[in-house]
Amino acid sequence: MKTASFSIQTKARIEVVSITDKVNDALGGLGASEGICTVYTPHTTAAVSINEDADPDVRIDLARAFDKLVPDVRFDHAEGNSGAHLLSTLVGVSLQVPYSESRLALGRWQGVYFLEFDGPRAREVRIYVP
């Protein structure tokens, strides 16, 4: 298995960051020509997802909606970021995406997003290919 990683510095508590180009760069650096890659973030208050990446308003809309998804319940976790843990669990910390010619085989409007739920922070994304 081949692996690559890159860092992201988020700027807001909840932020949606397009990382498609960084994932494609990582695939090219690995010399990965065709297969299925895993995009993974090793954080419990972040996630990765695929969604529309043509209109930048989608990122703003998603961040606003994620903020509203956290329920008004009593969390026992003392750090005050239980909502971020919940969102990470709901969205997920990994994706499997096909690639061809060292580029993600995404749909016309799709892109890969890094989702920050407890920022701002320095974060990491890892890419795994067979």
Side-chain angles (χ1 to χ4, degrees), residues 7-19 22 41 43 45-47 113-125:
S7 298
I8 298 172
Q9 179 61 54
T10 60
K11 299 175 180 85
R13 183 177 67 83
I14 295 181
E15 185 176 357
V16 178
V17 181
S18 179
I19 60 169
K22 289 183 179 237
T41 187
H43 303 289
T45 57
Y113 286 151
F114 178 85
L115 306 171
E116 174 65 76
F117 299 128
D118 192 28
R121 292 181 182 257
R123 299 295 198 163
E124 179 185 11
V125 175

Side-chain angles (χ1 to χ4, degrees), residues 4-126:
S5 66
F6 56 86
S7 298
I8 298 172
Q9 179 61 54
T10 60
K11 299 175 180 85
R13 183 177 67 83
I14 295 181
E15 185 176 357
V16 178
V17 181
S18 179
I19 60 169
T20 307
D21 291 341
K22 289 183 179 237
V23 174
N24 283 331
D25 290 346
L27 288 172
L30 291 172
S33 61
E34 186 173 74
I36 296 177
C37 74
T38 299
V39 180
Y40 167 76
T41 187
H43 303 289
T44 61
T45 57
V48 290
S49 182
I50 294 175
N51 211 304
E52 185 197 316
D53 200 17
D55 181 352
D57 286 341
V58 171
R59 293 190 289 267
I60 295 165
D61 293 343
L62 287 173
R64 187 180 305 120
F66 282 127
D67 190 43
K68 299 289 184 192
L69 281 176
V70 177
D72 184 21
V73 299
R74 183 182 65 86
F75 291 111
D76 291 332
H77 182 54
E79 290 181 34
N81 62 355
S82 291
H85 289 292
L86 172 67
L87 292 171
S88 176
T89 298
L90 291 174
V91 178
V93 297
S94 68
L95 301 169
Q96 290 190 309
V97 187
Y99 62 92
S100 179
E101 298 178 9
S102 298
R103 296 189 57 78
L104 296 170
L106 296 169
R108 179 178 181 178
W109 305 109
Q110 290 181 318
V112 178
Y113 286 151
F114 178 85
L115 306 171
E116 174 65 76
F117 299 128
D118 192 28
R121 292 181 182 257
R123 299 295 198 163
E124 179 185 11
V125 175
R126 298 176 185 166

